[in-house]
Amino acid sequence: MCGIVGYIGSKKATPVLINALKKLEYRGYDSAGIAVFDGEDIVVRKVKGALKALEERISKEVINGSLGIGHTRWATHGEPSDVNAHPHTNLSGTIAVVHNGIIENYAKLKAWLQGEGVVFRSETDTEVIAHLINYYYEMDGDIFHSVIEATHRLEGSYALGVICSDYPDRLIAARKESPLIVGLGKGENFIASDVPAVLEYTRDVYFLDQKEIAVLYSDHVDLFDEDGNKVIKQPYHVDWDLSSAEKNGYAHFMLKEIHEQPKALTDTMRPRLVYENKKPVDINFDELTVAEHFKNAKRIVITACGTAYHAGVVAAYAFEKFARIPVVVTVASEFRYMNPILDKDDIFIVISQSGETADTLAAMRLAKEAGIHVIAITNCVGSTVSREANDVIYTWAGPEIAVASTKAYTTQLMCLYLLALKCAFLREKFSRAEYTRLLSELEQIPSKVQEILDDKTGIQKFVSKNFNKEKVFFIGRQFDSATSLECALKLKEVSYMHSEAFAAGELKHGPIALVDKNTLVVAIATDPKLYEKIASNIVEVRTRGATTFVITQDKDGAFAQAADEIVSIPHTESAFASMLSIIPAQLFAYYCAIHRGTDPDKPRNLAKSVTVE
Ligand code: M6R
């Protein structure tokens, strides 16, 4: 996720762009840049660091010009640096581009453009777009057609702002999947990733639809479909205030990020799937220098903290089930003092959203000192973990602002499932037919997450009656016991309700002594082989007065009689259900926080990134 803006009008573009970017800093803050047409040339200024660094850089010069684009970056391809910052230009600097999204086929396009003589300056996927537009522009000299031709060749997601010094009267914008709006002013027009950027100037906007293209002039805006046919639509009048606009209309970042999961999961998964005839047939981790190592490794060792550790616990079930390889998962704060037994044939994985967690870093350094190859799964390009690990798999979830991790967790899971399936295939644990069947199932996870998010009424109703229970226990078996850990953490973090997770079979060995009428027991049940067992556990706690809530794929079966409330999740391969069953639990935690009057975005005593021990 990055923020893009653009301006055409009669004011000086630079302050307008900087002002608009300030409202989008929550979308990315590792580097920033602008490109302004000064009457003769396109002047580009871009620097690593927060927007303030860019402001300082340009404070001593005057850039004249009333046409420009700007960007605040959340790195995906290439570390945060001046050269990787946007805007990117063609070689002669006559075309400048800002981009938000991920170009999945950028490596292929880059190789082809290099064959055409293009010299690349950055490691970004975005630079490909500038050169691609230039390629078509050199053929027909029409910037609008060139943008259309270029977008036809792009796979993945994009919101684009493009300016060309030969066309100083217009700014071109295009989008597929990444958000983009056009702000309609008087004698001036704007583009932005999100409404807050333009609210100071106008409340009338177009929300661009999939594959729409906008051409902005000072006095009007034309809209087109992907083939250049004119589109007519009505502008939308925004009546939200600035703070809700920053959250895209959601009351909190946590809720917004919960809803971003279908997109984040798609961004994580799709670039790594290999397609034939539009069907996924393989997984490709370009970033792994040791993919073959998964074939012969004797063991997988995973270490992380908090939510990331919980992703590791789910992964252990996945690797063991699919690849039949033993997995050890340890919280990093323990691992670092363990004098761990490590072997050069181990696959060592660290997981960290921020890439800055002190314990995780210490654990990783221990493994590196022992000469072990470290694979990191992280969301933050340029973070310490990403710099020190041998190989890095990015989750590409975009910045997570809420302290409670939601989309970072599910995208970590997606990376780990992809790894587990690839590992299983390399180790010949299933046939190609089974492999492709599983990949097709996996591919549907984002839309199934969306289905859950589309109907939250059951959860909201249940929370309204149960938000003041004294204790909440989450139970499950196998994958579901791993998911329970994350459910309990989410609830305690944001609502401060006392919550614990138990493997359901452990209830009788102690915890059931706590169960009474002030207890809520939430059961996760996604494995048909274990439905009856979980149903018995529910009956046991209900007999002792507990209220019961079941998250399952089996709404009308084993639980219909046993539970007080059932939330059903769409059917999927039960081993993949961890990416679905967590969604109602995240919503449950969020709504409990709201009912109890706590701030889900900033829980007491917690920090987003724990950089001290
Ligand atoms: O940035 P990291 O993934 O390394 O952070 C690890 C934990 O601190 C983090 O997951 C924490 O548990 C979250 N607040 C959970 O919501």
Side-chain angles (χ1 to χ4, degrees), residues 34 108 193 197 243 265 286 295 396 521 537 574-575 589 607 612:
I34 54 169
K108 231 193 241 169
S193 299
S243 110
L265 283 162
D286 280 334
K295 200 168 170 179
W396 292 330
V521 176
N537 294 130
S574 60
V612 289

Side-chain angles (χ1 to χ4, degrees), residues 272-290:
R272 287 158 177 140
L273 289 180
V274 179
Y275 286 87
E276 258 171 33
N277 300 324
K278 300 198 170 157
K279 291 253 175 271
V281 292
D282 201 355
I283 297 163
N284 186 16
F285 277 104
D286 280 334
E287 55 270 68
L288 285 186
T289 53
V290 287

Side-chain angles (χ1 to χ4, degrees), residues 178-211:
S178 300
L180 193 60
I181 62 122
V182 175
L184 304 169
K186 289 202 171 62
E188 57 185 4
N189 291 303
F190 310 79
I191 59 163
S193 299
D194 210 346
V195 172
V198 301
L199 276 188
E200 195 179 322
Y201 307 100
T202 177
R203 287 186 167 263
D204 294 317
V205 301
Y206 288 128
F207 288 94
L208 289 189
D209 285 318
Q210 277 291 57
K211 299 190 181 174

Side-chain angles (χ1 to χ4, degrees), residues 187-238:
E188 57 185 4
N189 291 303
F190 310 79
I191 59 163
S193 299
D194 210 346
V195 172
V198 301
L199 276 188
E200 195 179 322
Y201 307 100
T202 177
R203 287 186 167 263
D204 294 317
V205 301
Y206 288 128
F207 288 94
L208 289 189
D209 285 318
Q210 277 291 57
K211 299 190 181 174
E212 266 178 7
I213 299 173
V215 183
L216 288 77
Y217 304 85
S218 306
D219 57 353
H220 73 285
V221 174
D222 292 328
L223 301 179
F224 301 88
D225 69 13
E226 60 180 312
D227 298 316
N229 303 307
K230 266 223 166 168
V231 170
I232 306 290
K233 64 182 187 184
Q234 287 307 309
Y236 178 88
H237 186 75
V238 177

Side-chain angles (χ1 to χ4, degrees), residues 252-298:
H252 294 95
F253 280 110
M254 181 181 178
L255 191 60
K256 174 174 177 270
E257 286 158 9
I258 288 173
H259 283 81
E260 281 170 356
Q261 288 176 108
K263 165 90 168 61
L265 283 162
T266 305
D267 285 349
T268 307
M269 172 189 70
R270 230 177 29 201
R272 287 158 177 140
L273 289 180
V274 179
Y275 286 87
E276 258 171 33
N277 300 324
K278 300 198 170 157
K279 291 253 175 271
V281 292
D282 201 355
I283 297 163
N284 186 16
F285 277 104
D286 280 334
E287 55 270 68
L288 285 186
T289 53
V290 287
E292 284 298 307
H293 188 32
F294 277 88
K295 200 168 170 179
N296 308 312
K298 302 260 182 326

Side-chain angles (χ1 to χ4, degrees), residues 305-308 351-355 357 360 403-405 412 486 489-490 493 607-608 610:
C305 298
T307 290
I351 311 166
S352 174
Q353 187 285 132
S354 62
T357 301
T360 308
V403 167
S405 200
Q412 285 161 358
E486 176 57 10
L489 178 69
K490 220 70 314 163
E493 273 185 300
K608 183 68 185 158
V610 185

Side-chain angles (χ1 to χ4, degrees), residues 300 314-329 420 479:
I300 294 179
V314 175
Y317 282 101
F319 275 108
E320 294 193 357
K321 178 182 170 69
F322 293 120
R324 308 298 301 150
I325 181 168
V327 184
V328 180
V329 196
F479 279 93

